[in-house]
Amino acid sequence: MKKIVLTLIAILAFTTSQTNAQEILVSNITEYNNAIKAAKAGDIIVLKNGVWKDVKLNAYGKGEEGNPILIKAETAGQVIISGNSTLNIYGEYIIVGGLWFKDGDTEYKSVVQFRKDSKTFANNCRFTNSTISYFNTETPLKDHWVDIWGKNNRVDHNNFTGKTSEGTTLVVWLKGKEHIENNHRIDNNLFGSRPDLGKNGGETIRIGTSANSMKSSKTIVERNIFANCDGEIEIVSNKSCDNIFRDNLFVESKGTLTLRHGNNALVERNVFLGNGVSKTGGIRIINQGHIVRNNYLIGLTGDGYRGPIVVMNGVPNSPLNRYHQVKNVDIQNNTIINSGPISFGEGKDDEKTLAPINTNFSNNLIYNTKASENVIFSDNVSGISFNNNYIDSPSPEALKGFSATKIDWKKLGSFPIPTSNNNDLLSVNKNSKSFEKDITNTTRQIFNAGAFNLDSKKLPKALKLRAGPGWTPEIVAPIIKPADITVEPGLETLRKAIDKASPGSVLNLKTGEYILEKKIKIGKNITIIGDKGGATIITAKKGLEKPINYLFRVNEGITLDISNAILDGENSNLKYAIVSPDKQESGLYNLFVDNITFQNFKNKNGGSVFKAYNGTKADTLSFKNSRFENNYRGLNLSYDKNIMGFYNANTIILDNSVFKNIEEAAVNYIRKVITPEIPGGNLIVKNCVFSDVYNQEKGKILRTDGIHNVKITNSVFENSYKVKTPIDLKGKNNVITNCLIHNSGFVKVSKNAKKVNIIYKNPKWEDKILFIPSKKSILLKENNDIENIGLNQ
């Protein structure tokens, strides 16, 4: 993950006008408790510099407007709150600032919360000029770093970096009338690195919950920086009404600002910089009454739910926790540059059948230097009014309401701004929601399409932010040592162990069943070792209400080593045993498999033992000493077959492995090229057995079209008696040598591919299950005078 260096300056002055106010220096929790108990409006309690470990700080009292009770560090950043600690702020006009929460080992559900308990809350209080970094729980809590309750509270000029545990970083709560129309402010904070959690619950900010999503919050989220916030698809999750998101900067964050539930959000003047990082997205829209205007989105690679602007389909009679129909939404004057496609009606399926209605999409500017899709209609868009949108692209879509144009740009700093030489952009569609200011908050002298005034001399506030505390925390990520972990069989025990394990750890499994209720996404380098002398079985729970479609996903940039186990798809709706990263996540990953049996993955709805999604690429996929038995397909890397030159793995290795009773191809590894002489892709097959694979007249046991380098040695192809051409090799770097073909057609080579010492005879097995040849078998070196063919026994 790229490091982003930001200048963090915040000038925070705490003053009091009360002449009889006290300033008290306290050096331990006992002195602090005595001081806060006696505190009155205007008092200042100063925490002595040093480490305050295992403390419960209660910051409470009755301050006054302009005369708060202030709790602050002796020197900002030099009061360290560590261990099993928490801060509760409650009462009236309380300000806490200058603290650094780090080296946590907490059992509390909140690091900071604006309440004492379920009846005592904070109003007009503030948490400021502080840092929380890598302050994580050692227990399986869904902890939050900040929980905001009450009304009129503010969280500002803080640094929140390195949350790795499950649970949202900052939550605004609306449970109870004391928290409705709360008017909270979340501003000028730096939300730093948050790694992918691998499941829901990794949001950076959430305002409300599904159950309270129709209540008004009126929270303002402004002038914050979200840098590398990758916890989950929802960076910010809006789940209440009447909130404002403005002047925020999102940098290389793998998700979207999501209007998930609730109505009437205003999203304006935000800047999204993807810098080409995979899965970076923009704004996702659900529900009604929202205004999305004057946003600037550049270099976002996400598509689908992670597109730059995504307008979702809804669910008929939707419960609060599903998808309400998009209606009465206004999307105007946004600029999208070199990003993935804008999507309308996204998510359409048998449940989400309601297309957006009464929605306006006007005066938006789309620029793309690549020949790719810019706009996708996933459902009927008759309910959306498209007016005076402009596309500058090598392949602009011919769509009603979208006009092709050529934009004249200038650079302001390093950011492209349209010049006044863009007369097309002066043809616009104005309505009652058209805003008379641009993204820089400058009045539009002439109303034009896009986020900026033409020839703007100013950049947006979001690109000039000084977010974070007024002191610079030197945050160092903790070094977590890999560990050897023994995992007991049972329901979800494997998932929990992977979630808890540090990167590089080795998980040792016993004989028994490891049953999954949910898919496992491998987001860190992990080794899984089963019981070599027993039977370690990994499978999905039978009869799941929401069946899962795979057991493991290897995320981009990750290596999974797995050995000595059985992966079983029997009696479940599993389509795959293992899959690549999600589509278009192009970072290289690795999968090393040794002594694994893949069995009973029979789902014919596109199923296979392994699937590579569109736009993904493995560095190495290695399968050694393994068996693929009674499956629909083996390895499927064909979903980009129509994209010229693209292939889904640099190298595939099959070594000393068996493919038996496979209905379609054992390997489907292809790319579209003019000639196979163009380098790209390596398939190495040695000492393998393919028995009864793709037993159809046009079946190919190994499909390698367009793969530059194919080496097949010492392997057996048998009992695919309907097949005419089990292998068709093209290109001088494609070679098959010292192999036996029996009842499986004939090998074909062309374009200088080679076949050497191909034997068409009965292999004569002593053991047809374990594929052990008899003493007279031609597979043995002493009988063929070259080398052993088949498995290394």
Side-chain angles (χ1 to χ4, degrees):
M1 184 177 295
K2 295 181 181 179
K3 293 182 179 179
I4 297 174
V5 180
L6 300 166
T7 303
L8 307 175
I9 301 174
I11 301 172
L12 304 175
F14 301 112
T15 60
T16 177
S17 60
Q18 186 166 311
T19 56
N20 60 350
Q22 300 184 70
E23 181 170 318
I24 305 169
L25 178 67
V26 295
S27 58
N28 58 56
I29 191 65
T30 300
E31 293 178 4
Y32 171 81
N33 286 336
N34 290 333
I36 193 68
K37 186 176 181 180
K40 57 187 180 299
D43 283 355
I44 301 173
I45 299 174
V46 179
L47 277 62
K48 187 174 178 59
N49 291 347
V51 177
W52 291 58
K53 187 175 182 182
D54 300 334
V55 293
K56 184 176 183 180
L57 287 169
N58 290 311
Y60 63 95
K62 206 166 183 67
E64 299 170 352
E65 185 174 5
N67 215 29
I69 296 172
L70 171 61
I71 298 97
K72 69 172 187 175
E74 182 180 15
T75 305
Q78 294 187 31
V79 171
I80 309 300
I81 312 297
S82 68
N84 187 27
S85 297
T86 189
L87 167 64
N88 299 326
I89 303 171
Y90 54 96
E92 297 279 344
Y93 295 101
I94 310 296
I95 299 176
V96 180
L99 308 182
W100 189 351
F101 292 80
K102 68 175 181 175
D103 302 324
D105 180 14
T106 180
E107 297 175 358
Y108 293 100
K109 290 186 177 181
S110 306
V111 179
V112 177
Q113 65 172 340
F114 283 69
R115 70 172 185 173
K116 175 186 178 183
D117 51 36
S118 60
K119 296 181 180 179
T120 309
F121 310 106
N123 294 301
N124 304 296
C125 293
R126 184 178 179 191
F127 177 63
T128 187
N129 199 35
S130 297
T131 292
I132 306 176
S133 63
Y134 293 97
F135 197 88
N136 293 315
T137 175
E138 295 299 321
T139 59
L141 286 173
K142 294 182 179 179
D143 68 314
H144 307 137
W145 278 3
V146 180
D147 284 310
I148 308 179
W149 301 82
K151 294 187 178 182
N152 304 312
N153 297 310
R154 185 180 181 194
V155 176
D156 66 288
H157 294 92
N158 300 295
N159 184 313
F160 303 110
T161 295
K163 190 175 194 303
T164 59
S165 56
E166 190 172 356
T168 306
T169 305
L170 185 154
V171 182
V172 173
W173 293 94
L174 283 86
K175 186 179 180 181
K177 63 182 180 179
E178 302 91 344
H179 317 289
I180 310 304
E181 295 190 346
N182 50 65
N183 297 301
H184 297 315
R185 286 184 64 197
I186 303 165
D187 64 281
N188 293 284
N189 301 289
L190 170 62
F191 293 93
S193 172
R194 174 153 197 196
D196 185 358
L197 186 64
K199 53 187 171 182
N200 290 336
E203 305 101 324
T204 296
I205 293 178
R206 191 184 77 234
I207 303 175
T209 58
S210 300
N212 295 296
S213 58
M214 291 298 110
K215 296 176 181 177
S216 177
S217 180
K218 295 186 176 179
T219 291
I220 297 175
V221 179
E222 63 181 351
R223 298 194 298 274
N224 300 284
I225 296 174
F226 299 86
N228 304 114
C229 293
D230 305 335
E232 65 148 89
I233 190 172
E234 298 179 17
I235 304 167
V236 176
S237 184
N238 181 81
K239 292 187 175 181
S240 52
C241 297
D242 307 314
N243 299 311
I244 296 174
F245 306 92
R246 66 187 176 206
D247 297 323
N248 299 289
L249 175 63
F250 295 79
V251 182
E252 297 180 13
S253 293
K254 297 183 178 182
T256 64
L257 190 169
T258 304
L259 306 180
R260 184 64 185 88
H261 301 305
N263 303 323
N264 306 321
L266 172 61
V267 181
E268 65 174 354
R269 304 197 306 258
N270 302 285
V271 175
F272 297 78
L273 302 179
N275 293 333
V277 173
S278 67
K279 298 167 64 175
T280 48
I283 303 159
R284 185 158 65 106
I285 301 165
I286 304 135
N287 282 64
Q288 61 181 291
H290 306 307
I291 297 174
V292 178
R293 68 190 183 201
N294 286 338
N295 297 285
Y296 193 39
L297 307 100
I298 307 178
L300 306 174
T301 63
D303 61 2
Y305 282 28
R306 282 186 166 90
I309 296 179
V310 183
V311 183
M312 293 288 295
N313 256 27
V315 175
N317 303 310
S318 176
L320 287 173
N321 67 341
R322 292 304 295 146
Y323 287 82
H324 285 241
Q325 187 177 26
V326 172
K327 61 176 69 172
N328 303 323
V329 168
D330 195 79
I331 306 167
Q332 290 195 52
N333 290 98
N334 301 285
T335 295
I336 302 98
I337 297 175
N338 286 335
S339 294
I342 299 168
S343 183
F344 299 93
E346 182 60 46
K348 178 187 178 183
D349 57 20
D350 292 341
E351 180 197 29
K352 294 186 282 294
T353 58
L354 296 180
I357 59 173
N358 299 329
T359 291
N360 176 49
F361 189 86
S362 298
N363 311 325
N364 298 287
L365 175 59
I366 303 164
Y367 175 76
N368 206 330
T369 55
K370 295 181 180 179
S372 58
E373 285 186 300
N374 298 290
V375 180
I376 293 176
F377 295 159
S378 299
D379 201 356
N380 186 341
V381 293
S382 61
I384 305 175
S385 175
F386 296 98
N387 300 284
N388 299 100
N389 301 288
Y390 295 92
I391 301 178
D392 182 354
S393 166
S395 54
E397 289 85 343
L399 302 170
K400 183 180 179 180
F402 293 82
S403 299
T405 189
K406 289 295 180 182
I407 304 298
D408 184 61
W409 301 95
K410 70 174 184 178
K411 288 288 183 72
L412 191 57
S414 59
F415 296 95
I417 310 292
T419 72
S420 56
N421 299 320
N422 289 288
N423 290 331
D424 285 355
L425 302 187
L426 300 179
S427 180
V428 292
N429 179 269
K430 295 182 69 174
N431 63 17
S432 61
K433 295 179 182 177
S434 297
F435 197 53
E436 295 301 326
K437 293 185 177 182
D438 76 345
I439 189 172
T440 70
N441 210 29
T442 302
T443 300
R444 292 180 182 269
Q445 301 301 318
I446 301 176
F447 198 90
N448 60 271
F452 288 90
N453 273 318
L454 300 183
D455 265 336
S456 175
K457 293 178 174 57
K458 296 172 63 177
L459 287 173
K461 286 183 181 179
L463 291 172
K464 299 182 287 185
L465 290 176
R466 294 178 175 179
W471 50 280
T472 303
E474 295 182 4
I475 298 173
V476 178
I479 298 173
I480 304 174
K481 295 181 179 179
D484 269 19
I485 302 167
T486 299
V487 185
E488 298 291 334
L491 182 65
E492 287 292 288
T493 55
L494 179 55
R495 167 193 314 289
K496 292 174 183 177
I498 290 173
D499 286 348
K500 189 175 181 180
S502 57
S505 292
V506 177
L507 305 184
N508 297 289
L509 312 188
K510 297 181 176 181
T511 287
E513 279 196 312
Y514 292 79
I515 303 170
L516 307 185
E517 289 185 308
K518 297 179 180 179
K519 300 172 281 191
I520 293 180
K521 296 179 181 178
I522 306 295
K524 49 198 163 188
N525 296 341
I526 286 288
T527 298
I528 300 172
I529 302 176
D531 187 350
K532 191 171 185 178
T536 299
I537 301 171
I538 303 172
T539 189
K541 184 179 179 182
K542 299 175 179 66
L544 286 172
E545 184 177 345
K546 293 184 177 180
I548 61 177
N549 62 353
Y550 62 78
L551 297 175
F552 297 101
R553 160 162 277 155
V554 187
N555 286 351
E556 60 179 348
I558 298 302
T559 295
L560 170 63
D561 285 84
I562 184 168
S563 59
N564 307 333
I566 299 168
L567 274 58
D568 195 344
E570 187 69 27
N571 299 321
S572 68
N573 199 42
L574 283 169
K575 292 180 72 172
Y576 320 106
I578 303 175
V579 301
S580 74
D582 205 352
K583 59 183 181 178
Q584 306 306 325
E585 295 179 17
S586 58
L588 293 176
Y589 66 100
N590 294 286
L591 173 62
F592 296 98
V593 172
D594 190 2
N595 193 30
I596 295 290
T597 296
F598 299 95
Q599 63 187 31
N600 303 316
F601 290 89
K602 301 176 182 178
N603 190 316
K604 296 185 180 182
N605 184 24
S608 57
V609 170
F610 173 84
K611 175 182 177 177
Y613 281 83
N614 303 73
T616 63
K617 183 173 284 188
D619 188 33
T620 302
L621 301 175
S622 175
F623 299 85
K624 297 183 177 181
N625 309 310
S626 296
R627 289 181 72 99
F628 297 72
E629 194 159 4
N630 300 325
N631 301 304
Y632 177 53
R633 292 171 176 157
L635 314 181
N636 193 356
L637 298 91
S638 67
Y639 285 86
D640 285 311
K641 60 187 177 183
N642 294 321
I643 299 177
M644 181 62 72
F646 193 83
Y647 52 101
N648 295 113
N650 288 331
T651 301
I652 300 176
I653 300 170
L654 305 179
D655 184 4
N656 203 48
S657 295
V658 172
F659 291 77
K660 182 179 180 182
N661 298 334
I662 312 295
E663 191 164 333
E664 290 198 359
V667 177
N668 194 352
Y669 176 35
I670 61 178
R671 65 176 178 143
K672 182 179 181 181
V673 287
I674 299 171
T675 170
E677 297 307 305
I678 299 172
N682 301 280
L683 175 64
I684 300 169
V685 180
K686 56 185 179 180
N687 296 104
C688 291
V689 174
F690 301 85
S691 181
D692 190 12
V693 176
Y694 213 160
N695 194 12
Q696 300 176 27
E697 182 177 344
K698 295 184 179 181
K700 285 186 172 57
I701 295 172
L702 300 174
R703 291 195 64 193
T704 62
D705 302 356
I707 300 303
H708 176 248
N709 184 42
V710 179
K711 298 287 188 292
I712 305 169
T713 58
N714 305 330
S715 295
V716 176
F717 301 82
E718 65 151 25
N719 291 340
S720 300
Y721 60 91
K722 294 182 182 179
V723 170
K724 288 189 174 182
T725 308
I727 300 164
D728 184 358
L729 300 180
K730 299 181 179 75
K732 66 180 181 180
N733 292 306
N734 281 220
V735 178
I736 179 169
T737 181
N738 205 46
C739 291
L740 181 142
I741 316 293
H742 180 64
N743 280 343
S744 299
F746 298 89
V747 173
K748 181 180 178 181
V749 295
S750 60
K751 297 184 178 180
N752 298 315
K754 300 179 184 69
K755 56 179 177 179
V756 180
N757 193 41
I758 306 302
I759 302 170
Y760 293 94
K761 290 186 178 181
N762 191 319
K764 294 183 180 179
W765 302 113
E766 180 179 306
D767 188 322
K768 294 183 179 181
I769 304 299
L770 299 178
F771 296 103
I772 300 173
S774 68
K775 292 182 179 180
K776 295 183 178 181
S777 173
I778 195 67
L779 300 176
L780 299 177
K781 181 178 180 179
E782 56 262 33
N783 298 326
N784 64 39
D785 296 326
I786 300 176
E787 198 169 356
N788 286 338
I789 301 173
L791 303 180
N792 293 316
Q793 304 297 335

